[in-house]
Amino acid sequence: MKCDPELAKSAQKWTDQQAADGKMHHSKWTEKFTESISWKGWGWEGMDKMEGAIPGAVRSWYSEIKNGYNYESGKGTGVIGHFQAVVWKNEAKLGCGLNFKEGDGTYVTAHYAPASHTRNKEKLAKDQVKPRRQPGLYTYSFSGKIFLFLVIKMSVKTQQKSY
C-alpha cells in the first residue's frame, strides 16, 4: 500500500469538515474510494499526536473482526466494513486526514483506493480478505514514519467511535 497525495488531500479536507461541524459523519458516497472515519474524545492518552491517533483509529476499525467475521462468506454478525477496508487486498493506495480539536477530540479519516465497497463485495471478499496472522511483531509505514505494533488481543474502549 502506498500513500496517495490526492487521497490524503480529500481525507484531510473531510476530516477538517467534521471537526468544524463538531461531529463525526461520512462524506458523500463515491466509487473513487472507501472511507473510514474515527473520533476519540479529548483526553485519551496518546490521541493528541499522530503516532497515537492514526494507529488508534486503525485498531478500532480492525477490531470489527470481533463482529463474527466469516472469511468464506465475507459477512459478519455486526458492522465489519471498516475491518474489510483495512485488510482488503486490492486497496493499493491510502490517504489519511487528522484533526486535533481542542476540547472536543481527535478526528481521523482514511480514504482507500481502489474502493472495496463494491456491489459484489461478499463474492469478492474470500479472495480479498485472508485470515489474520498469529500474534507477533509487525512493521507498518505511514507517511514516511515507521510504526511497530505488537499484535495482541485487542479491546475496544466505550467512548471510542468508528464508522
Side-chain angles (χ1 to χ4, degrees):
M1 182 171 284
K2 296 190 182 232
C3 186
D4 182 87
E6 292 304 312
L7 289 173
K9 285 179 194 174
S10 67
Q12 187 61 55
K13 182 178 178 182
W14 188 247
T15 304
D16 293 341
Q17 182 63 54
Q18 292 174 87
D21 294 345
K23 65 180 182 177
M24 181 181 64
H25 54 103
H26 279 287
S27 64
K28 185 178 177 184
W29 193 91
T30 178
E31 292 190 21
K32 293 179 183 178
F33 54 78
T34 298
E35 178 178 82
S36 294
I37 57 176
S38 178
W39 173 87
K40 292 188 178 59
W42 203 252
W44 278 51
E45 185 177 343
M47 295 311 295
D48 58 343
K49 297 178 178 76
M50 180 185 75
E51 292 83 357
I54 301 288
V58 173
R59 277 193 303 275
S60 70
W61 298 326
Y62 186 89
S63 74
E64 288 178 359
I65 191 174
K66 73 183 182 318
N67 294 333
Y69 189 76
N70 182 308
Y71 291 94
E72 293 295 316
S73 69
K75 297 179 181 179
T77 57
V79 175
I80 48 91
H82 306 98
F83 161 71
Q84 284 182 317
V86 168
V87 299
W88 197 264
K89 179 180 168 185
N90 282 356
E91 286 180 336
K93 298 186 278 184
L94 170 68
C96 290
L98 179 63
N99 188 303
F100 303 109
K101 186 174 179 185
E102 185 76 35
D104 177 7
T106 301
Y107 294 83
V108 178
T109 302
H111 286 171
Y112 310 87
S116 64
H117 59 257
T118 66
R119 303 214 189 300
N120 296 322
K121 189 176 193 174
E122 283 80 20
K123 290 179 183 177
L124 299 172
K126 186 176 180 180
D127 293 326
Q128 294 294 317
V129 181
K130 300 297 181 184
R132 62 184 168 179
R133 298 179 187 177
Q134 293 298 316
L137 190 61
Y138 300 96
T139 305
Y140 297 91
S141 177
F142 173 77
S143 295
K145 298 196 181 233
I146 295 176
F147 298 95
L148 292 176
F149 294 100
L150 179 60
V151 179
I152 56 174
K153 184 177 179 182
M154 292 182 266
S155 64
V156 179
K157 297 181 180 179
T158 56
Q159 284 188 324
Q160 180 174 318
K161 296 180 185 178
S162 293
Y163 296 94

